[in-house]
Amino acid sequence: MRRNAFVSALGALAAAGYPAAARPAAPVVVRAAATLDDDAVPYIYAMQSGLFAKYGIDASLTKAQNGASIAAGVLGGSLEIGKSGVTTLAAAHARGLPLTWIAPAGEYDSSLPGTVALVVALDSPLKSGADINGKTIGVSGINDVFSLGVRAWVDKHGGDSSTLKLTEIPMSASGLAAETGRVDVAVVIEPFLQIALAGGKVRSIGDPISGIANHFMQSCWFTSLDFAAKNPAVVEGFIRAIREGATYGNSHHPETAVMLEKFLNIDTPPTVRIPLGVRFNPAQMQSVVDLQVRYKMLPAAFDVHEVIYPAALRA
């Protein structure tokens, strides 16, 4: 779908005036997929607490390695909803893919304990942005938010991001990749970061996401424009359930840590958590898109209102 046609279609959804979260007559099956991150917590909680059922949704969640594969599933019809990084979804929109963003997932806040780091082997001489010029960096996706963060962080710390060699590595294996020298540097997020550092064979040289902004949305939940048009009540119910799940998750870390431990199949509940988004902040989202353009990850800027599902901005 060409972008102007996409914008027109999304505008039609906004003009339709659907009733807010009218419950479907019978539960609607929603298959979703998420990467192995803390920001899946609102969905997991909504399943286990009955929030989805309250809004007429029969939800399931599977694990995936990256947002690109999830987007392919949503577009292909094997999934109704997915979670991905905003940079990956922005690139999808630039290519004209008919996806609409329906709810925030994970956020970044530099004032909170770090949940992501650039990790190197313990005996590595690398310390600064300039040190990793020309080095191989492990990221979860070539054009994901961590790729953008690495580029911006290197440039802010004396390096030249144009010399970096980025390679994709599953986040669950990124710490080991740095430890064994498969890559010079790896981006590692929680809870895998605390596991890697506890092993004593790697160390952090910085927080790559700080290169983007002090506070912004890293990821969000999305669906196809076709599914949104045919199932407005389901989408609005999903938005409400995720909002309630995120609100609960932000104030109940010990309880949701146990849920996340099972989802990620790790041995110890994570102790450092990311903030979960409750509502979209278009201005913050726009700044990320504009930075992607600067680093040539997008051919041109666009207004983020083009991709946000209208009901997601309601009070």
Side-chain angles (χ1 to χ4, degrees), residues 242-272:
I242 290 295
R243 280 182 182 174
E244 293 176 40
T247 300
Y248 178 87
N250 283 332
S251 59
H252 293 79
H253 283 175
E255 295 88 347
T256 55
V258 176
M259 298 178 186
L260 192 62
E261 177 187 11
K262 295 178 180 177
F263 177 66
L264 298 178
N265 192 28
I266 55 178
D267 296 329
T268 305
T271 56
V272 180

PDB file of all heavy atoms in Angstrom, residues 242-272:
ATOM      1  N   ILE A 242      -4.128  -3.201  27.534  1.00  0.00           N
ATOM      2  CA  ILE A 242      -2.686  -2.949  27.626  1.00  0.00           C
ATOM      3  C   ILE A 242      -2.397  -1.765  28.536  1.00  0.00           C
ATOM      4  O   ILE A 242      -1.425  -1.778  29.318  1.00  0.00           O
ATOM      5  CB  ILE A 242      -2.086  -2.725  26.227  1.00  0.00           C
ATOM      6  CG1 ILE A 242      -2.086  -4.045  25.438  1.00  0.00           C
ATOM      7  CG2 ILE A 242      -0.668  -2.171  26.313  1.00  0.00           C
ATOM      8  CD1 ILE A 242      -1.183  -5.120  26.010  1.00  0.00           C
ATOM      9  N   ARG A 243      -3.230  -0.729  28.480  1.00  0.00           N
ATOM     10  CA  ARG A 243      -3.052   0.409  29.385  1.00  0.00           C
ATOM     11  C   ARG A 243      -3.146  -0.043  30.841  1.00  0.00           C
ATOM     12  O   ARG A 243      -2.333   0.333  31.684  1.00  0.00           O
ATOM     13  CB  ARG A 243      -4.113   1.474  29.117  1.00  0.00           C
ATOM     14  CG  ARG A 243      -3.832   2.359  27.929  1.00  0.00           C
ATOM     15  CD  ARG A 243      -4.928   3.406  27.775  1.00  0.00           C
ATOM     16  NE  ARG A 243      -4.698   4.245  26.613  1.00  0.00           N
ATOM     17  CZ  ARG A 243      -5.560   5.157  26.178  1.00  0.00           C
ATOM     18  NH1 ARG A 243      -6.704   5.328  26.824  1.00  0.00           N
ATOM     19  NH2 ARG A 243      -5.281   5.897  25.107  1.00  0.00           N
ATOM     20  N   GLU A 244      -4.155  -0.847  31.126  1.00  0.00           N
ATOM     21  CA  GLU A 244      -4.329  -1.323  32.494  1.00  0.00           C
ATOM     22  C   GLU A 244      -3.183  -2.247  32.896  1.00  0.00           C
ATOM     23  O   GLU A 244      -2.707  -2.205  34.039  1.00  0.00           O
ATOM     24  CB  GLU A 244      -5.676  -2.042  32.614  1.00  0.00           C
ATOM     25  CG  GLU A 244      -6.873  -1.111  32.458  1.00  0.00           C
ATOM     26  CD  GLU A 244      -8.196  -1.852  32.477  1.00  0.00           C
ATOM     27  OE1 GLU A 244      -8.350  -2.800  33.277  1.00  0.00           O
ATOM     28  OE2 GLU A 244      -9.089  -1.487  31.680  1.00  0.00           O
ATOM     29  N   GLY A 245      -2.738  -3.069  31.947  1.00  0.00           N
ATOM     30  CA  GLY A 245      -1.621  -3.963  32.234  1.00  0.00           C
ATOM     31  C   GLY A 245      -0.330  -3.209  32.479  1.00  0.00           C
ATOM     32  O   GLY A 245       0.460  -3.575  33.360  1.00  0.00           O
ATOM     33  N   ALA A 246      -0.085  -2.144  31.703  1.00  0.00           N
ATOM     34  CA  ALA A 246       1.126  -1.343  31.887  1.00  0.00           C
ATOM     35  C   ALA A 246       1.091  -0.600  33.217  1.00  0.00           C
ATOM     36  O   ALA A 246       2.110  -0.507  33.922  1.00  0.00           O
ATOM     37  CB  ALA A 246       1.273  -0.356  30.734  1.00  0.00           C
ATOM     38  N   THR A 247      -0.070  -0.071  33.569  1.00  0.00           N
ATOM     39  CA  THR A 247      -0.210   0.627  34.851  1.00  0.00           C
ATOM     40  C   THR A 247       0.083  -0.317  36.004  1.00  0.00           C
ATOM     41  O   THR A 247       0.787   0.036  36.963  1.00  0.00           O
ATOM     42  CB  THR A 247      -1.624   1.217  34.985  1.00  0.00           C
ATOM     43  OG1 THR A 247      -1.839   2.146  33.908  1.00  0.00           O
ATOM     44  CG2 THR A 247      -1.787   1.939  36.306  1.00  0.00           C
ATOM     45  N   TYR A 248      -0.442  -1.528  35.912  1.00  0.00           N
ATOM     46  CA  TYR A 248      -0.181  -2.529  36.947  1.00  0.00           C
ATOM     47  C   TYR A 248       1.302  -2.900  36.963  1.00  0.00           C
ATOM     48  O   TYR A 248       1.936  -2.958  38.023  1.00  0.00           O
ATOM     49  CB  TYR A 248      -1.023  -3.775  36.699  1.00  0.00           C
ATOM     50  CG  TYR A 248      -0.774  -4.885  37.704  1.00  0.00           C
ATOM     51  CD1 TYR A 248      -1.477  -4.932  38.903  1.00  0.00           C
ATOM     52  CD2 TYR A 248       0.178  -5.880  37.460  1.00  0.00           C
ATOM     53  CE1 TYR A 248      -1.245  -5.944  39.837  1.00  0.00           C
ATOM     54  CE2 TYR A 248       0.421  -6.888  38.383  1.00  0.00           C
ATOM     55  CZ  TYR A 248      -0.282  -6.907  39.562  1.00  0.00           C
ATOM     56  OH  TYR A 248      -0.042  -7.904  40.484  1.00  0.00           O
ATOM     57  N   GLY A 249       1.874  -3.147  35.807  1.00  0.00           N
ATOM     58  CA  GLY A 249       3.271  -3.567  35.730  1.00  0.00           C
ATOM     59  C   GLY A 249       4.238  -2.545  36.296  1.00  0.00           C
ATOM     60  O   GLY A 249       5.223  -2.903  36.951  1.00  0.00           O
ATOM     61  N   ASN A 250       3.955  -1.271  36.074  1.00  0.00           N
ATOM     62  CA  ASN A 250       4.845  -0.220  36.574  1.00  0.00           C
ATOM     63  C   ASN A 250       4.865  -0.135  38.092  1.00  0.00           C
ATOM     64  O   ASN A 250       5.831   0.362  38.679  1.00  0.00           O
ATOM     65  CB  ASN A 250       4.436   1.135  35.997  1.00  0.00           C
ATOM     66  CG  ASN A 250       4.880   1.318  34.563  1.00  0.00           C
ATOM     67  OD1 ASN A 250       5.882   0.748  34.133  1.00  0.00           O
ATOM     68  ND2 ASN A 250       4.133   2.106  33.811  1.00  0.00           N
ATOM     69  N   SER A 251       3.818  -0.605  38.737  1.00  0.00           N
ATOM     70  CA  SER A 251       3.738  -0.504  40.194  1.00  0.00           C
ATOM     71  C   SER A 251       3.811  -1.853  40.912  1.00  0.00           C
ATOM     72  O   SER A 251       3.689  -1.904  42.131  1.00  0.00           O
ATOM     73  CB  SER A 251       2.435   0.209  40.594  1.00  0.00           C
ATOM     74  OG  SER A 251       1.311  -0.497  40.110  1.00  0.00           O
ATOM     75  N   HIS A 252       4.037  -2.929  40.141  1.00  0.00           N
ATOM     76  CA  HIS A 252       4.108  -4.268  40.737  1.00  0.00           C
ATOM     77  C   HIS A 252       5.273  -5.052  40.128  1.00  0.00           C
ATOM     78  O   HIS A 252       5.092  -6.086  39.484  1.00  0.00           O
ATOM     79  CB  HIS A 252       2.789  -5.024  40.525  1.00  0.00           C
ATOM     80  CG  HIS A 252       1.625  -4.466  41.265  1.00  0.00           C
ATOM     81  ND1 HIS A 252       0.929  -3.353  40.829  1.00  0.00           N
ATOM     82  CD2 HIS A 252       1.029  -4.862  42.427  1.00  0.00           C
ATOM     83  CE1 HIS A 252      -0.044  -3.097  41.686  1.00  0.00           C
ATOM     84  NE2 HIS A 252      -0.011  -3.981  42.660  1.00  0.00           N
ATOM     85  N   HIS A 253       6.462  -4.553  40.363  1.00  0.00           N
ATOM     86  CA  HIS A 253       7.635  -5.203  39.772  1.00  0.00           C
ATOM     87  C   HIS A 253       7.866  -6.631  40.266  1.00  0.00           C
ATOM     88  O   HIS A 253       8.160  -7.521  39.458  1.00  0.00           O
ATOM     89  CB  HIS A 253       8.878  -4.344  40.007  1.00  0.00           C
ATOM     90  CG  HIS A 253       8.952  -3.163  39.103  1.00  0.00           C
ATOM     91  ND1 HIS A 253       9.931  -2.197  39.196  1.00  0.00           N
ATOM     92  CD2 HIS A 253       8.162  -2.778  38.069  1.00  0.00           C
ATOM     93  CE1 HIS A 253       9.748  -1.279  38.279  1.00  0.00           C
ATOM     94  NE2 HIS A 253       8.677  -1.600  37.580  1.00  0.00           N
ATOM     95  N   PRO A 254       7.786  -6.910  41.559  1.00  0.00           N
ATOM     96  CA  PRO A 254       8.048  -8.292  42.002  1.00  0.00           C
ATOM     97  C   PRO A 254       7.080  -9.302  41.392  1.00  0.00           C
ATOM     98  O   PRO A 254       7.484 -10.389  40.970  1.00  0.00           O
ATOM     99  CB  PRO A 254       7.889  -8.204  43.527  1.00  0.00           C
ATOM    100  CG  PRO A 254       8.161  -6.775  43.859  1.00  0.00           C
ATOM    101  CD  PRO A 254       7.603  -6.002  42.709  1.00  0.00           C
ATOM    102  N   GLU A 255       5.795  -8.936  41.346  1.00  0.00           N
ATOM    103  CA  GLU A 255       4.798  -9.863  40.814  1.00  0.00           C
ATOM    104  C   GLU A 255       5.002 -10.107  39.315  1.00  0.00           C
ATOM    105  O   GLU A 255       4.929 -11.249  38.840  1.00  0.00           O
ATOM    106  CB  GLU A 255       3.387  -9.314  41.053  1.00  0.00           C
ATOM    107  CG  GLU A 255       2.998  -9.205  42.521  1.00  0.00           C
ATOM    108  CD  GLU A 255       3.411  -7.882  43.155  1.00  0.00           C
ATOM    109  OE1 GLU A 255       4.224  -7.137  42.548  1.00  0.00           O
ATOM    110  OE2 GLU A 255       2.934  -7.606  44.271  1.00  0.00           O
ATOM    111  N   THR A 256       5.258  -9.038  38.570  1.00  0.00           N
ATOM    112  CA  THR A 256       5.415  -9.206  37.125  1.00  0.00           C
ATOM    113  C   THR A 256       6.774  -9.795  36.762  1.00  0.00           C
ATOM    114  O   THR A 256       6.934 -10.360  35.682  1.00  0.00           O
ATOM    115  CB  THR A 256       5.208  -7.868  36.400  1.00  0.00           C
ATOM    116  OG1 THR A 256       6.104  -6.878  36.933  1.00  0.00           O
ATOM    117  CG2 THR A 256       3.775  -7.385  36.560  1.00  0.00           C
ATOM    118  N   ALA A 257       7.744  -9.677  37.650  1.00  0.00           N
ATOM    119  CA  ALA A 257       9.049 -10.300  37.397  1.00  0.00           C
ATOM    120  C   ALA A 257       8.917 -11.814  37.288  1.00  0.00           C
ATOM    121  O   ALA A 257       9.591 -12.459  36.474  1.00  0.00           O
ATOM    122  CB  ALA A 257      10.042  -9.927  38.495  1.00  0.00           C
ATOM    123  N   VAL A 258       8.047 -12.375  38.093  1.00  0.00           N
ATOM    124  CA  VAL A 258       7.821 -13.825  38.046  1.00  0.00           C
ATOM    125  C   VAL A 258       7.177 -14.213  36.719  1.00  0.00           C
ATOM    126  O   VAL A 258       7.537 -15.227  36.109  1.00  0.00           O
ATOM    127  CB  VAL A 258       6.931 -14.266  39.225  1.00  0.00           C
ATOM    128  CG1 VAL A 258       6.608 -15.746  39.117  1.00  0.00           C
ATOM    129  CG2 VAL A 258       7.628 -13.970  40.549  1.00  0.00           C
ATOM    130  N   MET A 259       6.235 -13.405  36.244  1.00  0.00           N
ATOM    131  CA  MET A 259       5.621 -13.659  34.941  1.00  0.00           C
ATOM    132  C   MET A 259       6.665 -13.610  33.833  1.00  0.00           C
ATOM    133  O   MET A 259       6.695 -14.453  32.939  1.00  0.00           O
ATOM    134  CB  MET A 259       4.545 -12.605  34.647  1.00  0.00           C
ATOM    135  CG  MET A 259       3.383 -12.574  35.595  1.00  0.00           C
ATOM    136  SD  MET A 259       2.259 -11.225  35.134  1.00  0.00           S
ATOM    137  CE  MET A 259       1.086 -11.295  36.491  1.00  0.00           C
ATOM    138  N   LEU A 260       7.526 -12.608  33.905  1.00  0.00           N
ATOM    139  CA  LEU A 260       8.544 -12.422  32.873  1.00  0.00           C
ATOM    140  C   LEU A 260       9.569 -13.551  32.900  1.00  0.00           C
ATOM    141  O   LEU A 260      10.045 -13.998  31.850  1.00  0.00           O
ATOM    142  CB  LEU A 260       9.240 -11.076  33.080  1.00  0.00           C
ATOM    143  CG  LEU A 260      10.134 -10.593  31.943  1.00  0.00           C
ATOM    144  CD1 LEU A 260       9.320 -10.392  30.668  1.00  0.00           C
ATOM    145  CD2 LEU A 260      10.826  -9.292  32.329  1.00  0.00           C
ATOM    146  N   GLU A 261       9.905 -14.022  34.089  1.00  0.00           N
ATOM    147  CA  GLU A 261      10.847 -15.132  34.230  1.00  0.00           C
ATOM    148  C   GLU A 261      10.369 -16.350  33.445  1.00  0.00           C
ATOM    149  O   GLU A 261      11.148 -17.006  32.740  1.00  0.00           O
ATOM    150  CB  GLU A 261      11.006 -15.486  35.705  1.00  0.00           C
ATOM    151  CG  GLU A 261      11.910 -16.682  35.978  1.00  0.00           C
ATOM    152  CD  GLU A 261      11.890 -17.086  37.438  1.00  0.00           C
ATOM    153  OE1 GLU A 261      11.027 -16.582  38.186  1.00  0.00           O
ATOM    154  OE2 GLU A 261      12.723 -17.922  37.822  1.00  0.00           O
ATOM    155  N   LYS A 262       9.084 -16.639  33.531  1.00  0.00           N
ATOM    156  CA  LYS A 262       8.533 -17.798  32.828  1.00  0.00           C
ATOM    157  C   LYS A 262       8.488 -17.552  31.324  1.00  0.00           C
ATOM    158  O   LYS A 262       8.793 -18.447  30.529  1.00  0.00           O
ATOM    159  CB  LYS A 262       7.136 -18.108  33.363  1.00  0.00           C
ATOM    160  CG  LYS A 262       7.135 -18.555  34.813  1.00  0.00           C
ATOM    161  CD  LYS A 262       5.718 -18.804  35.322  1.00  0.00           C
ATOM    162  CE  LYS A 262       5.729 -19.247  36.776  1.00  0.00           C
ATOM    163  NZ  LYS A 262       4.357 -19.441  37.321  1.00  0.00           N
ATOM    164  N   PHE A 263       8.108 -16.351  30.910  1.00  0.00           N
ATOM    165  CA  PHE A 263       8.029 -16.033  29.488  1.00  0.00           C
ATOM    166  C   PHE A 263       9.396 -16.120  28.816  1.00  0.00           C
ATOM    167  O   PHE A 263       9.533 -16.636  27.709  1.00  0.00           O
ATOM    168  CB  PHE A 263       7.433 -14.639  29.299  1.00  0.00           C
ATOM    169  CG  PHE A 263       7.364 -14.187  27.859  1.00  0.00           C
ATOM    170  CD1 PHE A 263       6.536 -14.824  26.956  1.00  0.00           C
ATOM    171  CD2 PHE A 263       8.125 -13.113  27.412  1.00  0.00           C
ATOM    172  CE1 PHE A 263       6.468 -14.409  25.632  1.00  0.00           C
ATOM    173  CE2 PHE A 263       8.069 -12.691  26.097  1.00  0.00           C
ATOM    174  CZ  PHE A 263       7.225 -13.340  25.203  1.00  0.00           C
ATOM    175  N   LEU A 264      10.424 -15.613  29.506  1.00  0.00           N
ATOM    176  CA  LEU A 264      11.769 -15.591  28.943  1.00  0.00           C
ATOM    177  C   LEU A 264      12.527 -16.897  29.165  1.00  0.00           C
ATOM    178  O   LEU A 264      13.613 -17.084  28.613  1.00  0.00           O
ATOM    179  CB  LEU A 264      12.567 -14.432  29.558  1.00  0.00           C
ATOM    180  CG  LEU A 264      12.021 -13.026  29.309  1.00  0.00           C
ATOM    181  CD1 LEU A 264      12.889 -11.996  30.024  1.00  0.00           C
ATOM    182  CD2 LEU A 264      11.948 -12.728  27.823  1.00  0.00           C
ATOM    183  N   ASN A 265      11.977 -17.754  30.011  1.00  0.00           N
ATOM    184  CA  ASN A 265      12.620 -19.032  30.327  1.00  0.00           C
ATOM    185  C   ASN A 265      14.013 -18.827  30.916  1.00  0.00           C
ATOM    186  O   ASN A 265      15.004 -19.415  30.473  1.00  0.00           O
ATOM    187  CB  ASN A 265      12.702 -19.925  29.085  1.00  0.00           C
ATOM    188  CG  ASN A 265      13.079 -21.358  29.421  1.00  0.00           C
ATOM    189  OD1 ASN A 265      12.795 -21.841  30.516  1.00  0.00           O
ATOM    190  ND2 ASN A 265      13.727 -22.038  28.486  1.00  0.00           N
ATOM    191  N   ILE A 266      14.068 -17.957  31.927  1.00  0.00           N
ATOM    192  CA  ILE A 266      15.324 -17.701  32.632  1.00  0.00           C
ATOM    193  C   ILE A 266      15.190 -18.215  34.062  1.00  0.00           C
ATOM    194  O   ILE A 266      14.088 -18.470  34.544  1.00  0.00           O
ATOM    195  CB  ILE A 266      15.689 -16.203  32.630  1.00  0.00           C
ATOM    196  CG1 ILE A 266      14.542 -15.351  33.215  1.00  0.00           C
ATOM    197  CG2 ILE A 266      16.026 -15.741  31.216  1.00  0.00           C
ATOM    198  CD1 ILE A 266      14.839 -13.878  33.291  1.00  0.00           C
ATOM    199  N   ASP A 267      16.315 -18.374  34.750  1.00  0.00           N
ATOM    200  CA  ASP A 267      16.325 -19.008  36.065  1.00  0.00           C
ATOM    201  C   ASP A 267      16.031 -18.061  37.222  1.00  0.00           C
ATOM    202  O   ASP A 267      15.623 -18.494  38.297  1.00  0.00           O
ATOM    203  CB  ASP A 267      17.683 -19.681  36.315  1.00  0.00           C
ATOM    204  CG  ASP A 267      17.951 -20.814  35.340  1.00  0.00           C
ATOM    205  OD1 ASP A 267      16.963 -21.451  34.912  1.00  0.00           O
ATOM    206  OD2 ASP A 267      19.118 -21.050  35.008  1.00  0.00           O
ATOM    207  N   THR A 268      16.258 -16.749  37.009  1.00  0.00           N
ATOM    208  CA  THR A 268      16.110 -15.789  38.102  1.00  0.00           C
ATOM    209  C   THR A 268      15.233 -14.631  37.655  1.00  0.00           C
ATOM    210  O   THR A 268      15.445 -14.077  36.566  1.00  0.00           O
ATOM    211  CB  THR A 268      17.490 -15.235  38.527  1.00  0.00           C
ATOM    212  OG1 THR A 268      18.347 -16.332  38.846  1.00  0.00           O
ATOM    213  CG2 THR A 268      17.346 -14.327  39.725  1.00  0.00           C
ATOM    214  N   PRO A 269      14.252 -14.226  38.460  1.00  0.00           N
ATOM    215  CA  PRO A 269      13.426 -13.073  38.090  1.00  0.00           C
ATOM    216  C   PRO A 269      14.288 -11.825  37.931  1.00  0.00           C
ATOM    217  O   PRO A 269      15.212 -11.592  38.727  1.00  0.00           O
ATOM    218  CB  PRO A 269      12.465 -12.932  39.276  1.00  0.00           C
ATOM    219  CG  PRO A 269      12.441 -14.267  39.926  1.00  0.00           C
ATOM    220  CD  PRO A 269      13.824 -14.826  39.734  1.00  0.00           C
ATOM    221  N   PRO A 270      14.029 -11.000  36.907  1.00  0.00           N
ATOM    222  CA  PRO A 270      14.822  -9.777  36.716  1.00  0.00           C
ATOM    223  C   PRO A 270      14.586  -8.772  37.836  1.00  0.00           C
ATOM    224  O   PRO A 270      13.462  -8.638  38.334  1.00  0.00           O
ATOM    225  CB  PRO A 270      14.322  -9.242  35.373  1.00  0.00           C
ATOM    226  CG  PRO A 270      12.947  -9.810  35.237  1.00  0.00           C
ATOM    227  CD  PRO A 270      12.993 -11.163  35.881  1.00  0.00           C
ATOM    228  N   THR A 271      15.626  -8.072  38.226  1.00  0.00           N
ATOM    229  CA  THR A 271      15.507  -7.088  39.301  1.00  0.00           C
ATOM    230  C   THR A 271      15.494  -5.659  38.781  1.00  0.00           C
ATOM    231  O   THR A 271      14.992  -4.759  39.451  1.00  0.00           O
ATOM    232  CB  THR A 271      16.674  -7.236  40.294  1.00  0.00           C
ATOM    233  OG1 THR A 271      17.915  -7.124  39.587  1.00  0.00           O
ATOM    234  CG2 THR A 271      16.620  -8.592  40.984  1.00  0.00           C
ATOM    235  N   VAL A 272      16.062  -5.425  37.601  1.00  0.00           N
ATOM    236  CA  VAL A 272      16.049  -4.094  36.990  1.00  0.00           C
ATOM    237  C   VAL A 272      15.017  -4.123  35.870  1.00  0.00           C
ATOM    238  O   VAL A 272      15.074  -4.969  34.990  1.00  0.00           O
ATOM    239  CB  VAL A 272      17.433  -3.716  36.434  1.00  0.00           C
ATOM    240  CG1 VAL A 272      17.382  -2.328  35.815  1.00  0.00           C
ATOM    241  CG2 VAL A 272      18.488  -3.773  37.530  1.00  0.00           C
TER     242      VAL A 272
END
